């Protein structure tokens, strides 16, 4: 893929947190998923999480879009349902599930214990404000670059 303009800048950006905004159907999700895919290829053993607040939207929108990017990149990695993650031949993993807990008493249960190097949250406006700090605390896989990407 060849990127130009602001998307090319986004693809090279290594800052810890990125908020990529743009018009409806401007390619934000596709660009972010390519950035994740590139990181998964470039850093063997790295772990990412991708998704949306709701699990239904993650399964019906984010995962198919990610699989399309992987297919264009050379092939879809294996899906490990028991861990809710894609496993790449180089040892990298990409977890994908919704963050919304069905139990309001254990609001953060789906992200507590998660330790990854990268997080990509699509449709960030759906996320309750208090979740953003919890997400930042999950960027803790040692030995890899850390990045949080939001695309509202």
């Amino acid at each position: 893929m060849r990127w130009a303009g602001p998307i090319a800048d986004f693809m090279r950006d290594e800052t810890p947190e990125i908020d990529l905004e743009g018009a409806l159907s401007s390619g934000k999700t596709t660009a972010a998923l390519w950035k994740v895919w590139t990181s998964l290829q470039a850093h063997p053993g790295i772990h990412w999480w991708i998704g949306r607040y709701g699990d239904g939207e993650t399964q019906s929108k984010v995962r198919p879009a990610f699989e399309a990017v992987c297919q264009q990149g050379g092939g879809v990695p294996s899906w490990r349902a028991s861990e809710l993650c894609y496993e790449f031949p180089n040892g990298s993993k990409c977890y994908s599930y919704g963050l919304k807990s069905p139990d309001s008493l254990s609001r953060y249960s789906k992200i507590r214990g998660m330790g990854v190097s990268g997080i990509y949250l699509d449709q960030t406006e759906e996320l309750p404000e208090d979740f953003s700090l919890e997400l930042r605390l999950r960027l803790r896989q040692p030995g890899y670059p850390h990045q949080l990407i939001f695309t509202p």
Side-chain angles (χ1 to χ4, degrees):
M1 292 292 270
R2 290 191 175 262
W3 308 99
I7 297 295
D9 295 339
F10 164 75
M11 296 303 280
R12 290 187 297 266
D13 193 332
E14 296 178 1
T15 57
E17 296 182 15
I18 303 174
D19 177 32
L20 179 63
E21 297 187 20
L24 180 68
S25 297
S26 63
K28 301 177 300 288
T29 300
T30 300
L33 292 173
W34 270 105
K35 187 173 181 74
V36 170
W37 181 87
T38 300
S39 176
L40 289 160
Q41 300 303 310
H43 305 285
I46 197 169
H47 294 178
W48 274 82
W49 175 89
I50 60 171
R52 287 176 61 171
Y53 183 58
D55 194 56
E57 295 82 5
T58 297
Q59 302 307 318
S60 66
K61 295 180 176 76
V62 177
R63 283 193 52 206
F66 183 65
E67 289 178 7
V69 164
C70 291
Q71 189 65 44
Q72 288 179 334
V76 178
S78 60
W79 173 252
R80 180 179 285 269
S82 63
E83 292 187 56
L84 300 174
C85 74
Y86 294 96
E87 290 187 324
F88 288 78
N90 68 358
S92 295
K93 289 184 178 184
C94 185
Y95 298 89
S96 187
Y97 51 86
L99 299 176
K100 185 177 182 180
S101 173
D103 180 6
S104 62
L105 294 177
S106 54
R107 185 167 171 79
Y108 307 115
S109 65
K110 288 190 165 188
I111 57 177
R112 292 256 165 101
M114 177 172 61
V116 296
S117 288
I119 293 174
Y120 166 50
L121 183 69
D122 189 42
Q123 299 299 318
T124 313
E125 70 277 3
E126 299 170 348
L127 188 74
E129 189 175 334
D130 58 307
F131 268 76
S132 62
L133 177 58
E134 285 291 323
L135 289 176
R136 288 172 176 92
L137 295 172
R138 304 304 135 211
L139 296 174
R140 60 184 185 187
Q141 184 186 16
Y144 295 96
H146 295 164
Q147 193 164 57
L148 176 64
I149 302 171
F150 288 150
T151 56

